[in-house]
Amino acid sequence: MRNLLISVFISFGLFSAQSIACSFAPGYYTFETEPEGFEMKMDKGLIAILPAPQVQIDKITRGSAAPGSSCDDAGMIHITIKWPSDSVYTLDEIGFYFQSENGLEPDLIFPLGPVRGKPEGNEVKFFFVWLDGHPKYQKPLNFNLNVFAINKGLQIGQPTTVKIEAGKG
């Protein structure tokens, strides 16, 4: 009886560990705005505008297993943003919105608010993870993504639109 209980306990422990083994730290940080204390920057005597970022889709990975199968059910989109070196704003002073062109679909991939990344020179990398599930339940990804900068004063820049395309996993 004791061996049976130990076997059940070990089996339950292994099953539980497998089911919670997958976790991702977000590939971004929340961007905090401060509209009350913010002062717009000037550029040649005019209020500086936020330029459109250069956006590159680095990699799209689709889920390949049913939910609960460790990390194999996750979809991921890796994006690099290059910020113009002639902007009066630096990457540590701005955040970015990621929004599908229609503003609604696909849901659950991109955060609703502005985010920031860790700048490396004039680039910042992001990755977004969502529960994608097994390929037989997926739809192909085929949408336009608008990416635009925002400063702490809530000034929004011009968007860059990129195509997100990926078949089922």
Side-chain angles (χ1 to χ4, degrees), residues 38-49 86-89 151 155:
F38 182 79
E39 288 187 35
M40 293 286 185
K41 290 192 173 192
M42 303 299 283
D43 185 19
K44 300 175 187 161
L46 300 171
I47 292 177
I49 61 168
D86 61 349
S87 174
V88 299
Y89 290 98
N151 64 24
Q155 177 189 25

Side-chain angles (χ1 to χ4, degrees), residues 14-127:
L14 290 175
F15 176 74
S16 296
Q18 288 175 344
S19 67
I20 61 171
C22 183
S23 69
F24 290 99
Y28 54 86
Y29 307 96
T30 301
F31 179 72
E32 301 293 334
T33 59
E34 301 170 10
E36 295 81 27
F38 182 79
E39 288 187 35
M40 293 286 185
K41 290 192 173 192
M42 303 299 283
D43 185 19
K44 300 175 187 161
L46 300 171
I47 292 177
I49 61 168
L50 291 164
Q54 296 174 359
V55 180
Q56 175 181 316
I57 306 303
D58 297 322
K59 183 178 177 183
I60 300 174
T61 304
R62 299 299 305 264
S64 61
S69 303
S70 188
C71 294
D72 294 339
D73 58 354
M76 289 186 247
I77 297 177
H78 295 259
I79 297 174
T80 298
I81 293 181
K82 295 180 182 177
W83 189 243
S85 57
D86 61 349
S87 174
V88 299
Y89 290 98
T90 61
L91 278 173
D92 59 349
E93 298 174 309
I94 58 171
F96 294 94
Y97 274 109
F98 294 83
Q99 185 181 60
S100 64
E101 195 167 67
N102 67 9
L104 300 173
E105 294 179 7
D107 59 354
L108 303 177
I109 294 177
F110 303 101
L112 296 176
V115 295
R116 62 182 176 81
K118 182 179 177 187
E120 296 176 12
N122 72 330
E123 287 186 356
V124 63
K125 295 184 181 288
F126 295 92
F127 75 89

Side-chain angles (χ1 to χ4, degrees), residues 97-166:
Y97 274 109
F98 294 83
Q99 185 181 60
S100 64
E101 195 167 67
N102 67 9
L104 300 173
E105 294 179 7
D107 59 354
L108 303 177
I109 294 177
F110 303 101
L112 296 176
V115 295
R116 62 182 176 81
K118 182 179 177 187
E120 296 176 12
N122 72 330
E123 287 186 356
V124 63
K125 295 184 181 288
F126 295 92
F127 75 89
F128 302 95
V129 179
W130 75 99
L131 180 59
D132 199 21
H134 191 277
K136 75 179 184 179
Y137 300 112
Q138 296 171 357
K139 294 180 183 176
L141 295 179
N142 185 7
F143 63 95
N144 290 327
L145 177 68
N146 292 323
V147 181
F148 43 97
I150 182 170
N151 64 24
K152 291 183 182 265
L154 300 177
Q155 177 189 25
I156 296 174
Q158 292 297 310
T160 295
T161 303
V162 293
K163 185 77 169 170
I164 302 290
E165 283 184 293

